[in-house]
Amino acid sequence: MSMDTPAGVAVVETEITREQGEHGYVDWSAIIAGIVLASAISLVLISFGSAIGLNFIDFNAREGAAPILIGIGAASWFLWVQISSFMAGGYLTGRLRRRHFDATEDESDMRDGAHGLLVWGGAMIIGAILALGGIGAAGSAVGTAVSTATTAASNVAEGTADNLDPNAYFIDTLFRAEAPAAETGMARDEAGRIFARAAMSDGAVPAEDRTYLVNLVVANTGLSQEQAEARVDQVIANVEAARQQAIEAARIARNTAIIAAFLLAASSLVSAIGAYWAAQKGGNHRDNNTIFADVFRRF
């Protein structure tokens, strides 16, 4: 007791411990625990949903099911998985966070919620890394396969557009003979370039090209003029049908990507709110020593 302290007055000396002075308000161990839990729940549930066909890769995977219903189911499942997993991670972080009793209850709730947002941000970064890496490889492979099929259907000709000389068609027209020779290999290559040229434009085969194709078929198959014309018209119709299917597949893929991106952005914002709220709820249960005896009981 100091000499200046009046008699009968008790003095309580408080001291900020070394641990409180060295540590900040951000409890990274609790945040990491929440990120691990949220990522694990999300990975398990998304894998389960993909196993039963709730994914955005192929809405026609289940025979007899309407694609729109599969799309709605996949969107609802993804939304529920993302929000619930972030809420679980946020709650765990709020429950595990070490509270510093140097603030009001409102400030403590804000700090708990901020930890929930850090769980959300960390899990989003991990999810983006996984999507760009190993897990996204499957979707990338499917997208590559669809793109390859679309290109093949659009070109229809032998070889791909990458191997097609853009001037080959015009060179062919330069050296066309009045009576095509019966050389099957050269005829097939030239016919392929004609169809490739048509597929890369509006899909229509010009009249002079159609006449030339008919002459090629007559010279290489022995069919009559009428039979050759019917065969050429059938092939032209098949090429156009394949081109339209490729255009429709590209349109569906584009719309699916737009919807998936919008859903991801919207669900991410909602899950951020859920993580914030759940972390605050976890902090309140921590402060009130709330236990779930009916759920977690010792055996």
Side-chain angles (χ1 to χ4, degrees), residues 34-42 45-46 78-94 113 115-128 264 267-280:
I35 292 175
V36 171
L37 179 63
S39 301
I41 293 176
S42 178
L45 293 182
I46 288 179
F78 179 79
L79 182 65
W80 182 81
V81 167
Q82 190 173 25
I83 295 176
S84 61
S85 61
F86 280 120
M87 289 183 66
Y91 178 86
L92 180 65
T93 296
H115 279 66
L117 290 179
L118 288 176
V119 170
W120 170 81
M124 288 292 292
I125 294 174
I126 293 177
L264 177 62
S267 61
S268 297
L269 293 177
V270 176
S271 61
I273 298 174
Y276 185 89
W277 177 84
Q280 288 187 336

mmCIF file of all heavy atoms in Angstrom, residues 34-42 45-46 78-94 113 115-128 264 267-280:
data_model
loop_
_atom_site.group_PDB
_atom_site.id
_atom_site.type_symbol
_atom_site.label_atom_id
_atom_site.label_comp_id
_atom_site.label_asym_id
_atom_site.label_seq_id
_atom_site.Cartn_x
_atom_site.Cartn_y
_atom_site.Cartn_z
ATOM 1 N N GLY A 34 -12.535 -23.827 -38.730
ATOM 2 C CA GLY A 34 -13.782 -23.607 -39.456
ATOM 3 C C GLY A 34 -13.632 -23.829 -40.954
ATOM 4 O O GLY A 34 -14.525 -24.383 -41.604
ATOM 5 N N ILE A 35 -12.507 -23.407 -41.524
ATOM 6 C CA ILE A 35 -12.265 -23.610 -42.958
ATOM 7 C C ILE A 35 -12.188 -25.094 -43.282
ATOM 8 O O ILE A 35 -12.749 -25.562 -44.281
ATOM 9 C CB ILE A 35 -10.965 -22.893 -43.383
ATOM 10 C CG1 ILE A 35 -11.152 -21.371 -43.308
ATOM 11 C CG2 ILE A 35 -10.558 -23.310 -44.798
ATOM 12 C CD1 ILE A 35 -9.880 -20.586 -43.596
ATOM 13 N N VAL A 36 -11.487 -25.843 -42.439
ATOM 14 C CA VAL A 36 -11.363 -27.292 -42.666
ATOM 15 C C VAL A 36 -12.732 -27.959 -42.627
ATOM 16 O O VAL A 36 -13.068 -28.791 -43.487
ATOM 17 C CB VAL A 36 -10.412 -27.910 -41.623
ATOM 18 C CG1 VAL A 36 -10.456 -29.433 -41.698
ATOM 19 C CG2 VAL A 36 -8.985 -27.410 -41.852
ATOM 20 N N LEU A 37 -13.543 -27.593 -41.626
ATOM 21 C CA LEU A 37 -14.861 -28.218 -41.510
ATOM 22 C C LEU A 37 -15.759 -27.843 -42.692
ATOM 23 O O LEU A 37 -16.419 -28.709 -43.283
ATOM 24 C CB LEU A 37 -15.534 -27.783 -40.204
ATOM 25 C CG LEU A 37 -16.941 -28.349 -39.971
ATOM 26 C CD1 LEU A 37 -16.896 -29.863 -39.872
ATOM 27 C CD2 LEU A 37 -17.561 -27.732 -38.712
ATOM 28 N N ALA A 38 -15.784 -26.561 -43.057
ATOM 29 C CA ALA A 38 -16.625 -26.125 -44.173
ATOM 30 C C ALA A 38 -16.194 -26.784 -45.480
ATOM 31 O O ALA A 38 -17.037 -27.228 -46.270
ATOM 32 C CB ALA A 38 -16.571 -24.601 -44.298
ATOM 33 N N SER A 39 -14.889 -26.870 -45.724
ATOM 34 C CA SER A 39 -14.399 -27.478 -46.962
ATOM 35 C C SER A 39 -14.720 -28.962 -47.011
ATOM 36 O O SER A 39 -15.108 -29.484 -48.059
ATOM 37 C CB SER A 39 -12.887 -27.252 -47.088
ATOM 38 O OG SER A 39 -12.571 -25.876 -47.099
ATOM 39 N N ALA A 40 -14.577 -29.644 -45.874
ATOM 40 C CA ALA A 40 -14.836 -31.080 -45.842
ATOM 41 C C ALA A 40 -16.310 -31.372 -46.097
ATOM 42 O O ALA A 40 -16.659 -32.257 -46.894
ATOM 43 C CB ALA A 40 -14.406 -31.663 -44.496
ATOM 44 N N ILE A 41 -17.194 -30.622 -45.439
ATOM 45 C CA ILE A 41 -18.630 -30.843 -45.632
ATOM 46 C C ILE A 41 -19.021 -30.562 -47.076
ATOM 47 O O ILE A 41 -19.765 -31.327 -47.706
ATOM 48 C CB ILE A 41 -19.434 -29.970 -44.662
ATOM 49 C CG1 ILE A 41 -19.204 -30.420 -43.213
ATOM 50 C CG2 ILE A 41 -20.924 -30.021 -44.997
ATOM 51 C CD1 ILE A 41 -19.896 -29.547 -42.187
ATOM 52 N N SER A 42 -18.506 -29.458 -47.622
ATOM 53 C CA SER A 42 -18.834 -29.100 -49.001
ATOM 54 C C SER A 42 -18.353 -30.152 -49.976
ATOM 55 O O SER A 42 -19.075 -30.539 -50.909
ATOM 56 C CB SER A 42 -18.222 -27.737 -49.334
ATOM 57 O OG SER A 42 -18.478 -27.388 -50.677
ATOM 58 N N LEU A 45 -20.569 -33.438 -49.682
ATOM 59 C CA LEU A 45 -21.935 -33.298 -50.180
ATOM 60 C C LEU A 45 -21.976 -33.047 -51.687
ATOM 61 O O LEU A 45 -22.859 -33.548 -52.386
ATOM 62 C CB LEU A 45 -22.641 -32.168 -49.434
ATOM 63 C CG LEU A 45 -22.900 -32.425 -47.945
ATOM 64 C CD1 LEU A 45 -23.637 -31.258 -47.323
ATOM 65 C CD2 LEU A 45 -23.677 -33.713 -47.738
ATOM 66 N N ILE A 46 -21.023 -32.275 -52.216
ATOM 67 C CA ILE A 46 -20.984 -32.050 -53.659
ATOM 68 C C ILE A 46 -20.647 -33.345 -54.392
ATOM 69 O O ILE A 46 -21.214 -33.646 -55.451
ATOM 70 C CB ILE A 46 -19.975 -30.937 -53.997
ATOM 71 C CG1 ILE A 46 -20.526 -29.579 -53.557
ATOM 72 C CG2 ILE A 46 -19.678 -30.914 -55.492
ATOM 73 C CD1 ILE A 46 -19.603 -28.432 -53.826
ATOM 74 N N PHE A 78 -26.762 -27.397 -54.805
ATOM 75 C CA PHE A 78 -25.528 -26.632 -54.653
ATOM 76 C C PHE A 78 -25.725 -25.468 -53.693
ATOM 77 O O PHE A 78 -24.853 -25.180 -52.857
ATOM 78 C CB PHE A 78 -25.071 -26.121 -56.022
ATOM 79 C CG PHE A 78 -23.821 -25.302 -55.972
ATOM 80 C CD1 PHE A 78 -22.573 -25.904 -55.866
ATOM 81 C CD2 PHE A 78 -23.874 -23.916 -56.023
ATOM 82 C CE1 PHE A 78 -21.419 -25.145 -55.808
ATOM 83 C CE2 PHE A 78 -22.734 -23.154 -55.978
ATOM 84 C CZ PHE A 78 -21.496 -23.770 -55.864
ATOM 85 N N LEU A 79 -26.853 -24.793 -53.796
ATOM 86 C CA LEU A 79 -27.125 -23.668 -52.905
ATOM 87 C C LEU A 79 -27.194 -24.128 -51.452
ATOM 88 O O LEU A 79 -26.604 -23.510 -50.558
ATOM 89 C CB LEU A 79 -28.441 -23.003 -53.315
ATOM 90 C CG LEU A 79 -28.859 -21.765 -52.523
ATOM 91 C CD1 LEU A 79 -27.860 -20.647 -52.741
ATOM 92 C CD2 LEU A 79 -30.254 -21.309 -52.953
ATOM 93 N N TRP A 80 -27.900 -25.234 -51.206
ATOM 94 C CA TRP A 80 -28.019 -25.742 -49.839
ATOM 95 C C TRP A 80 -26.674 -26.210 -49.301
ATOM 96 O O TRP A 80 -26.335 -25.946 -48.139
ATOM 97 C CB TRP A 80 -29.012 -26.896 -49.812
ATOM 98 C CG TRP A 80 -29.215 -27.447 -48.431
ATOM 99 C CD1 TRP A 80 -30.014 -26.941 -47.456
ATOM 100 C CD2 TRP A 80 -28.566 -28.591 -47.864
ATOM 101 N NE1 TRP A 80 -29.919 -27.717 -46.309
ATOM 102 C CE2 TRP A 80 -29.039 -28.727 -46.536
ATOM 103 C CE3 TRP A 80 -27.647 -29.511 -48.346
ATOM 104 C CZ2 TRP A 80 -28.607 -29.743 -45.699
ATOM 105 C CZ3 TRP A 80 -27.218 -30.529 -47.511
ATOM 106 C CH2 TRP A 80 -27.686 -30.649 -46.213
ATOM 107 N N VAL A 81 -25.885 -26.894 -50.126
ATOM 108 C CA VAL A 81 -24.583 -27.399 -49.686
ATOM 109 C C VAL A 81 -23.656 -26.251 -49.321
ATOM 110 O O VAL A 81 -23.006 -26.261 -48.262
ATOM 111 C CB VAL A 81 -23.948 -28.270 -50.784
ATOM 112 C CG1 VAL A 81 -22.473 -28.542 -50.478
ATOM 113 C CG2 VAL A 81 -24.700 -29.583 -50.909
ATOM 114 N N GLN A 82 -23.590 -25.239 -50.168
ATOM 115 C CA GLN A 82 -22.662 -24.146 -49.909
ATOM 116 C C GLN A 82 -23.055 -23.364 -48.653
ATOM 117 O O GLN A 82 -22.208 -23.062 -47.808
ATOM 118 C CB GLN A 82 -22.599 -23.213 -51.114
ATOM 119 C CG GLN A 82 -21.480 -22.183 -51.018
ATOM 120 C CD GLN A 82 -21.329 -21.389 -52.284
ATOM 121 O OE1 GLN A 82 -22.277 -21.251 -53.052
ATOM 122 N NE2 GLN A 82 -20.152 -20.849 -52.529
ATOM 123 N N ILE A 83 -24.325 -23.033 -48.520
ATOM 124 C CA ILE A 83 -24.752 -22.238 -47.359
ATOM 125 C C ILE A 83 -24.593 -23.031 -46.071
ATOM 126 O O ILE A 83 -24.071 -22.514 -45.070
ATOM 127 C CB ILE A 83 -26.210 -21.778 -47.551
ATOM 128 C CG1 ILE A 83 -26.310 -20.826 -48.739
ATOM 129 C CG2 ILE A 83 -26.727 -21.106 -46.285
ATOM 130 C CD1 ILE A 83 -27.723 -20.402 -49.059
ATOM 131 N N SER A 84 -25.026 -24.281 -46.066
ATOM 132 C CA SER A 84 -24.951 -25.083 -44.846
ATOM 133 C C SER A 84 -23.508 -25.365 -44.431
ATOM 134 O O SER A 84 -23.186 -25.344 -43.236
ATOM 135 C CB SER A 84 -25.702 -26.395 -45.038
ATOM 136 O OG SER A 84 -25.137 -27.159 -46.095
ATOM 137 N N SER A 85 -22.623 -25.612 -45.404
ATOM 138 C CA SER A 85 -21.228 -25.895 -45.050
ATOM 139 C C SER A 85 -20.552 -24.665 -44.464
ATOM 140 O O SER A 85 -19.801 -24.771 -43.474
ATOM 141 C CB SER A 85 -20.470 -26.384 -46.284
ATOM 142 O OG SER A 85 -20.469 -25.401 -47.309
ATOM 143 N N PHE A 86 -20.822 -23.493 -45.021
ATOM 144 C CA PHE A 86 -20.218 -22.271 -44.475
ATOM 145 C C PHE A 86 -20.803 -21.929 -43.110
ATOM 146 O O PHE A 86 -20.099 -21.401 -42.241
ATOM 147 C CB PHE A 86 -20.404 -21.104 -45.441
ATOM 148 C CG PHE A 86 -19.427 -21.091 -46.565
ATOM 149 C CD1 PHE A 86 -19.851 -21.153 -47.878
ATOM 150 C CD2 PHE A 86 -18.069 -21.019 -46.328
ATOM 151 C CE1 PHE A 86 -18.961 -21.138 -48.923
ATOM 152 C CE2 PHE A 86 -17.157 -21.013 -47.353
ATOM 153 C CZ PHE A 86 -17.594 -21.073 -48.670
ATOM 154 N N MET A 87 -22.075 -22.203 -42.921
ATOM 155 C CA MET A 87 -22.663 -21.951 -41.612
ATOM 156 C C MET A 87 -22.069 -22.881 -40.561
ATOM 157 O O MET A 87 -21.810 -22.462 -39.424
ATOM 158 C CB MET A 87 -24.176 -22.119 -41.681
ATOM 159 C CG MET A 87 -24.887 -21.012 -42.446
ATOM 160 S SD MET A 87 -26.695 -21.172 -42.435
ATOM 161 C CE MET A 87 -27.027 -20.918 -40.695
ATOM 162 N N ALA A 88 -21.820 -24.132 -40.938
ATOM 163 C CA ALA A 88 -21.200 -25.065 -39.988
ATOM 164 C C ALA A 88 -19.793 -24.619 -39.636
ATOM 165 O O ALA A 88 -19.394 -24.634 -38.456
ATOM 166 C CB ALA A 88 -21.185 -26.473 -40.585
ATOM 167 N N GLY A 89 -19.025 -24.212 -40.641
ATOM 168 C CA GLY A 89 -17.665 -23.728 -40.368
ATOM 169 C C GLY A 89 -17.661 -22.458 -39.549
ATOM 170 O O GLY A 89 -16.835 -22.284 -38.646
ATOM 171 N N GLY A 90 -18.603 -21.545 -39.851
ATOM 172 C CA GLY A 90 -18.678 -20.297 -39.081
ATOM 173 C C GLY A 90 -19.065 -20.549 -37.638
ATOM 174 O O GLY A 90 -18.515 -19.928 -36.715
ATOM 175 N N TYR A 91 -20.029 -21.453 -37.424
ATOM 176 C CA TYR A 91 -20.435 -21.757 -36.048
ATOM 177 C C TYR A 91 -19.271 -22.341 -35.252
ATOM 178 O O TYR A 91 -19.043 -21.959 -34.091
ATOM 179 C CB TYR A 91 -21.606 -22.735 -36.054
ATOM 180 C CG TYR A 91 -22.054 -23.126 -34.667
ATOM 181 C CD1 TYR A 91 -22.972 -22.347 -33.975
ATOM 182 C CD2 TYR A 91 -21.541 -24.256 -34.037
ATOM 183 C CE1 TYR A 91 -23.377 -22.680 -32.700
ATOM 184 C CE2 TYR A 91 -21.933 -24.601 -32.748
ATOM 185 C CZ TYR A 91 -22.846 -23.817 -32.089
ATOM 186 O OH TYR A 91 -23.233 -24.145 -30.817
ATOM 187 N N LEU A 92 -18.538 -23.266 -35.856
ATOM 188 C CA LEU A 92 -17.408 -23.869 -35.142
ATOM 189 C C LEU A 92 -16.359 -22.822 -34.787
ATOM 190 O O LEU A 92 -15.820 -22.822 -33.661
ATOM 191 C CB LEU A 92 -16.775 -24.964 -36.008
ATOM 192 C CG LEU A 92 -15.584 -25.691 -35.388
ATOM 193 C CD1 LEU A 92 -16.020 -26.476 -34.153
ATOM 194 C CD2 LEU A 92 -14.922 -26.620 -36.409
ATOM 195 N N THR A 93 -16.093 -21.911 -35.689
ATOM 196 C CA THR A 93 -15.109 -20.865 -35.415
ATOM 197 C C THR A 93 -15.575 -19.944 -34.292
ATOM 198 O O THR A 93 -14.805 -19.590 -33.393
ATOM 199 C CB THR A 93 -14.856 -20.046 -36.691
ATOM 200 O OG1 THR A 93 -14.275 -20.884 -37.677
ATOM 201 C CG2 THR A 93 -13.919 -18.885 -36.416
ATOM 202 N N GLY A 94 -16.849 -19.543 -34.330
ATOM 203 C CA GLY A 94 -17.355 -18.694 -33.260
ATOM 204 C C GLY A 94 -17.333 -19.394 -31.913
ATOM 205 O O GLY A 94 -17.054 -18.764 -30.875
ATOM 206 N N GLY A 113 -18.613 -12.556 -35.703
ATOM 207 C CA GLY A 113 -19.061 -12.547 -37.088
ATOM 208 C C GLY A 113 -17.930 -12.331 -38.061
ATOM 209 O O GLY A 113 -17.906 -12.919 -39.155
ATOM 210 N N HIS A 115 -14.901 -13.339 -37.696
ATOM 211 C CA HIS A 115 -14.215 -14.625 -37.825
ATOM 212 C C HIS A 115 -14.977 -15.550 -38.774
ATOM 213 O O HIS A 115 -14.372 -16.314 -39.527
ATOM 214 C CB HIS A 115 -14.066 -15.283 -36.444
ATOM 215 C CG HIS A 115 -12.919 -14.752 -35.650
ATOM 216 N ND1 HIS A 115 -12.869 -13.464 -35.189
ATOM 217 C CD2 HIS A 115 -11.746 -15.343 -35.249
ATOM 218 C CE1 HIS A 115 -11.742 -13.272 -34.522
ATOM 219 N NE2 HIS A 115 -11.033 -14.400 -34.560
ATOM 220 N N GLY A 116 -16.310 -15.475 -38.734
ATOM 221 C CA GLY A 116 -17.091 -16.258 -39.683
ATOM 222 C C GLY A 116 -16.836 -15.829 -41.118
ATOM 223 O O GLY A 116 -16.745 -16.670 -42.027
ATOM 224 N N LEU A 117 -16.701 -14.520 -41.357
ATOM 225 C CA LEU A 117 -16.389 -14.036 -42.700
ATOM 226 C C LEU A 117 -15.002 -14.489 -43.153
ATOM 227 O O LEU A 117 -14.788 -14.767 -44.341
ATOM 228 C CB LEU A 117 -16.482 -12.507 -42.736
ATOM 229 C CG LEU A 117 -17.885 -11.907 -42.625
ATOM 230 C CD1 LEU A 117 -17.809 -10.392 -42.650
ATOM 231 C CD2 LEU A 117 -18.774 -12.417 -43.750
ATOM 232 N N LEU A 118 -14.053 -14.563 -42.233
ATOM 233 C CA LEU A 118 -12.717 -15.049 -42.590
ATOM 234 C C LEU A 118 -12.761 -16.530 -42.950
ATOM 235 O O LEU A 118 -12.027 -16.985 -43.842
ATOM 236 C CB LEU A 118 -11.747 -14.807 -41.428
ATOM 237 C CG LEU A 118 -11.360 -13.338 -41.195
ATOM 238 C CD1 LEU A 118 -10.478 -13.209 -39.955
ATOM 239 C CD2 LEU A 118 -10.631 -12.771 -42.410
ATOM 240 N N VAL A 119 -13.616 -17.286 -42.279
ATOM 241 C CA VAL A 119 -13.808 -18.689 -42.663
ATOM 242 C C VAL A 119 -14.370 -18.767 -44.076
ATOM 243 O O VAL A 119 -13.921 -19.565 -44.910
ATOM 244 C CB VAL A 119 -14.741 -19.391 -41.665
ATOM 245 C CG1 VAL A 119 -15.139 -20.767 -42.183
ATOM 246 C CG2 VAL A 119 -14.071 -19.521 -40.307
ATOM 247 N N TRP A 120 -15.359 -17.941 -44.353
ATOM 248 C CA TRP A 120 -15.953 -17.911 -45.689
ATOM 249 C C TRP A 120 -14.920 -17.553 -46.756
ATOM 250 O O TRP A 120 -14.820 -18.215 -47.787
ATOM 251 C CB TRP A 120 -17.093 -16.890 -45.689
ATOM 252 C CG TRP A 120 -17.642 -16.581 -47.049
ATOM 253 C CD1 TRP A 120 -18.546 -17.313 -47.759
ATOM 254 C CD2 TRP A 120 -17.325 -15.447 -47.857
ATOM 255 N NE1 TRP A 120 -18.816 -16.711 -48.963
ATOM 256 C CE2 TRP A 120 -18.077 -15.562 -49.053
ATOM 257 C CE3 TRP A 120 -16.475 -14.349 -47.690
ATOM 258 C CZ2 TRP A 120 -18.007 -14.609 -50.073
ATOM 259 C CZ3 TRP A 120 -16.413 -13.408 -48.703
ATOM 260 C CH2 TRP A 120 -17.171 -13.544 -49.876
ATOM 261 N N GLY A 121 -14.127 -16.498 -46.492
ATOM 262 C CA GLY A 121 -13.118 -16.093 -47.464
ATOM 263 C C GLY A 121 -12.055 -17.148 -47.667
ATOM 264 O O GLY A 121 -11.654 -17.432 -48.810
ATOM 265 N N GLY A 122 -11.580 -17.756 -46.577
ATOM 266 C CA GLY A 122 -10.553 -18.787 -46.715
ATOM 267 C C GLY A 122 -11.043 -20.002 -47.470
ATOM 268 O O GLY A 122 -10.351 -20.555 -48.333
ATOM 269 N N ALA A 123 -12.279 -20.435 -47.165
ATOM 270 C CA ALA A 123 -12.834 -21.596 -47.860
ATOM 271 C C ALA A 123 -13.091 -21.289 -49.322
ATOM 272 O O ALA A 123 -12.920 -22.160 -50.195
ATOM 273 C CB ALA A 123 -14.123 -22.049 -47.182
ATOM 274 N N MET A 124 -13.487 -20.060 -49.651
ATOM 275 C CA MET A 124 -13.692 -19.687 -51.046
ATOM 276 C C MET A 124 -12.381 -19.735 -51.819
ATOM 277 O O MET A 124 -12.339 -20.180 -52.973
ATOM 278 C CB MET A 124 -14.303 -18.289 -51.119
ATOM 279 C CG MET A 124 -15.746 -18.209 -50.679
ATOM 280 S SD MET A 124 -16.882 -19.054 -51.800
ATOM 281 C CE MET A 124 -16.747 -17.999 -53.241
ATOM 282 N N ILE A 125 -11.304 -19.291 -51.206
ATOM 283 C CA ILE A 125 -9.998 -19.329 -51.877
ATOM 284 C C ILE A 125 -9.561 -20.768 -52.110
ATOM 285 O O ILE A 125 -9.085 -21.126 -53.199
ATOM 286 C CB ILE A 125 -8.957 -18.560 -51.043
ATOM 287 C CG1 ILE A 125 -9.304 -17.062 -51.013
ATOM 288 C CG2 ILE A 125 -7.558 -18.781 -51.592
ATOM 289 C CD1 ILE A 125 -8.422 -16.255 -50.107
ATOM 290 N N ILE A 126 -9.732 -21.611 -51.099
ATOM 291 C CA ILE A 126 -9.372 -23.028 -51.254
ATOM 292 C C ILE A 126 -10.222 -23.675 -52.348
ATOM 293 O O ILE A 126 -9.720 -24.447 -53.178
ATOM 294 C CB ILE A 126 -9.537 -23.768 -49.924
ATOM 295 C CG1 ILE A 126 -8.506 -23.259 -48.912
ATOM 296 C CG2 ILE A 126 -9.384 -25.275 -50.118
ATOM 297 C CD1 ILE A 126 -8.640 -23.880 -47.543
ATOM 298 N N GLY A 127 -11.513 -23.365 -52.360
ATOM 299 C CA GLY A 127 -12.383 -23.921 -53.394
ATOM 300 C C GLY A 127 -11.974 -23.482 -54.785
ATOM 301 O O GLY A 127 -12.031 -24.269 -55.738
ATOM 302 N N ALA A 128 -11.551 -22.202 -54.918
ATOM 303 C CA ALA A 128 -11.114 -21.729 -56.232
ATOM 304 C C ALA A 128 -9.845 -22.438 -56.679
ATOM 305 O O ALA A 128 -9.685 -22.791 -57.845
ATOM 306 C CB ALA A 128 -10.892 -20.214 -56.177
ATOM 307 N N LEU A 264 -23.308 -19.238 -58.550
ATOM 308 C CA LEU A 264 -22.144 -19.234 -57.666
ATOM 309 C C LEU A 264 -21.992 -17.897 -56.964
ATOM 310 O O LEU A 264 -21.723 -17.836 -55.759
ATOM 311 C CB LEU A 264 -20.889 -19.567 -58.472
ATOM 312 C CG LEU A 264 -19.566 -19.539 -57.700
ATOM 313 C CD1 LEU A 264 -19.581 -20.573 -56.590
ATOM 314 C CD2 LEU A 264 -18.393 -19.777 -58.650
ATOM 315 N N SER A 267 -25.051 -17.473 -54.424
ATOM 316 C CA SER A 267 -24.935 -18.363 -53.265
ATOM 317 C C SER A 267 -23.743 -17.981 -52.402
ATOM 318 O O SER A 267 -23.777 -18.164 -51.179
ATOM 319 C CB SER A 267 -24.809 -19.817 -53.726
ATOM 320 O OG SER A 267 -23.641 -19.997 -54.522
ATOM 321 N N SER A 268 -22.696 -17.438 -53.004
ATOM 322 C CA SER A 268 -21.533 -17.015 -52.218
ATOM 323 C C SER A 268 -21.891 -15.845 -51.312
ATOM 324 O O SER A 268 -21.467 -15.791 -50.146
ATOM 325 C CB SER A 268 -20.380 -16.625 -53.156
ATOM 326 O OG SER A 268 -19.954 -17.739 -53.911
ATOM 327 N N LEU A 269 -22.665 -14.907 -51.836
ATOM 328 C CA LEU A 269 -23.087 -13.775 -51.004
ATOM 329 C C LEU A 269 -23.994 -14.233 -49.866
ATOM 330 O O LEU A 269 -23.842 -13.799 -48.719
ATOM 331 C CB LEU A 269 -23.804 -12.740 -51.873
ATOM 332 C CG LEU A 269 -22.943 -12.013 -52.907
ATOM 333 C CD1 LEU A 269 -23.798 -11.070 -53.750
ATOM 334 C CD2 LEU A 269 -21.814 -11.241 -52.229
ATOM 335 N N VAL A 270 -24.928 -15.119 -50.178
ATOM 336 C CA VAL A 270 -25.829 -15.617 -49.131
ATOM 337 C C VAL A 270 -25.058 -16.428 -48.098
ATOM 338 O O VAL A 270 -25.308 -16.322 -46.886
ATOM 339 C CB VAL A 270 -26.955 -16.465 -49.756
ATOM 340 C CG1 VAL A 270 -27.838 -17.065 -48.674
ATOM 341 C CG2 VAL A 270 -27.797 -15.616 -50.700
ATOM 342 N N SER A 271 -24.096 -17.237 -48.553
ATOM 343 C CA SER A 271 -23.324 -18.048 -47.612
ATOM 344 C C SER A 271 -22.425 -17.178 -46.736
ATOM 345 O O SER A 271 -22.134 -17.546 -45.591
ATOM 346 C CB SER A 271 -22.479 -19.078 -48.376
ATOM 347 O OG SER A 271 -21.568 -18.438 -49.250
ATOM 348 N N ALA A 272 -21.978 -16.032 -47.243
ATOM 349 C CA ALA A 272 -21.202 -15.113 -46.407
ATOM 350 C C ALA A 272 -22.056 -14.595 -45.249
ATOM 351 O O ALA A 272 -21.597 -14.519 -44.099
ATOM 352 C CB ALA A 272 -20.674 -13.946 -47.246
ATOM 353 N N ILE A 273 -23.299 -14.248 -45.545
ATOM 354 C CA ILE A 273 -24.214 -13.812 -44.479
ATOM 355 C C ILE A 273 -24.465 -14.945 -43.491
ATOM 356 O O ILE A 273 -24.495 -14.741 -42.273
ATOM 357 C CB ILE A 273 -25.538 -13.324 -45.093
ATOM 358 C CG1 ILE A 273 -25.283 -12.116 -46.000
ATOM 359 C CG2 ILE A 273 -26.543 -12.970 -44.006
ATOM 360 C CD1 ILE A 273 -26.509 -11.654 -46.761
ATOM 361 N N GLY A 274 -24.639 -16.161 -44.032
ATOM 362 C CA GLY A 274 -24.857 -17.307 -43.153
ATOM 363 C C GLY A 274 -23.673 -17.591 -42.256
ATOM 364 O O GLY A 274 -23.848 -17.918 -41.074
ATOM 365 N N ALA A 275 -22.458 -17.480 -42.792
ATOM 366 C CA ALA A 275 -21.260 -17.710 -41.984
ATOM 367 C C ALA A 275 -21.136 -16.652 -40.891
ATOM 368 O O ALA A 275 -20.754 -16.961 -39.747
ATOM 369 C CB ALA A 275 -20.023 -17.714 -42.876
ATOM 370 N N TYR A 276 -21.447 -15.405 -41.223
ATOM 371 C CA TYR A 276 -21.387 -14.316 -40.237
ATOM 372 C C TYR A 276 -22.370 -14.583 -39.098
ATOM 373 O O TYR A 276 -22.027 -14.492 -37.914
ATOM 374 C CB TYR A 276 -21.693 -12.996 -40.935
ATOM 375 C CG TYR A 276 -21.557 -11.778 -40.059
ATOM 376 C CD1 TYR A 276 -20.339 -11.116 -39.954
ATOM 377 C CD2 TYR A 276 -22.647 -11.279 -39.340
ATOM 378 C CE1 TYR A 276 -20.216 -9.974 -39.149
ATOM 379 C CE2 TYR A 276 -22.536 -10.161 -38.538
ATOM 380 C CZ TYR A 276 -21.316 -9.517 -38.450
ATOM 381 O OH TYR A 276 -21.187 -8.412 -37.650
ATOM 382 N N TRP A 277 -23.621 -14.920 -39.466
ATOM 383 C CA TRP A 277 -24.649 -15.162 -38.449
ATOM 384 C C TRP A 277 -24.319 -16.388 -37.611
ATOM 385 O O TRP A 277 -24.475 -16.388 -36.373
ATOM 386 C CB TRP A 277 -25.996 -15.334 -39.131
ATOM 387 C CG TRP A 277 -27.105 -15.647 -38.172
ATOM 388 C CD1 TRP A 277 -27.841 -14.771 -37.448
ATOM 389 C CD2 TRP A 277 -27.568 -16.955 -37.814
ATOM 390 N NE1 TRP A 277 -28.757 -15.426 -36.663
ATOM 391 C CE2 TRP A 277 -28.615 -16.776 -36.868
ATOM 392 C CE3 TRP A 277 -27.221 -18.244 -38.199
ATOM 393 C CZ2 TRP A 277 -29.294 -17.853 -36.309
ATOM 394 C CZ3 TRP A 277 -27.912 -19.312 -37.639
ATOM 395 C CH2 TRP A 277 -28.932 -19.116 -36.710
ATOM 396 N N ALA A 278 -23.874 -17.469 -38.249
ATOM 397 C CA ALA A 278 -23.579 -18.705 -37.518
ATOM 398 C C ALA A 278 -22.409 -18.505 -36.557
ATOM 399 O O ALA A 278 -22.395 -19.073 -35.459
ATOM 400 C CB ALA A 278 -23.275 -19.830 -38.503
ATOM 401 N N ALA A 279 -21.417 -17.707 -36.960
ATOM 402 C CA ALA A 279 -20.289 -17.449 -36.067
ATOM 403 C C ALA A 279 -20.742 -16.670 -34.831
ATOM 404 O O ALA A 279 -20.279 -16.927 -33.702
ATOM 405 C CB ALA A 279 -19.203 -16.683 -36.808
ATOM 406 N N GLN A 280 -21.638 -15.719 -35.036
ATOM 407 C CA GLN A 280 -22.181 -15.001 -33.884
ATOM 408 C C GLN A 280 -22.973 -15.941 -32.972
ATOM 409 O O GLN A 280 -22.881 -15.854 -31.747
ATOM 410 C CB GLN A 280 -23.083 -13.857 -34.357
ATOM 411 C CG GLN A 280 -22.333 -12.687 -34.962
ATOM 412 C CD GLN A 280 -23.257 -11.523 -35.257
ATOM 413 O OE1 GLN A 280 -24.469 -11.691 -35.426
ATOM 414 N NE2 GLN A 280 -22.694 -10.329 -35.335
#
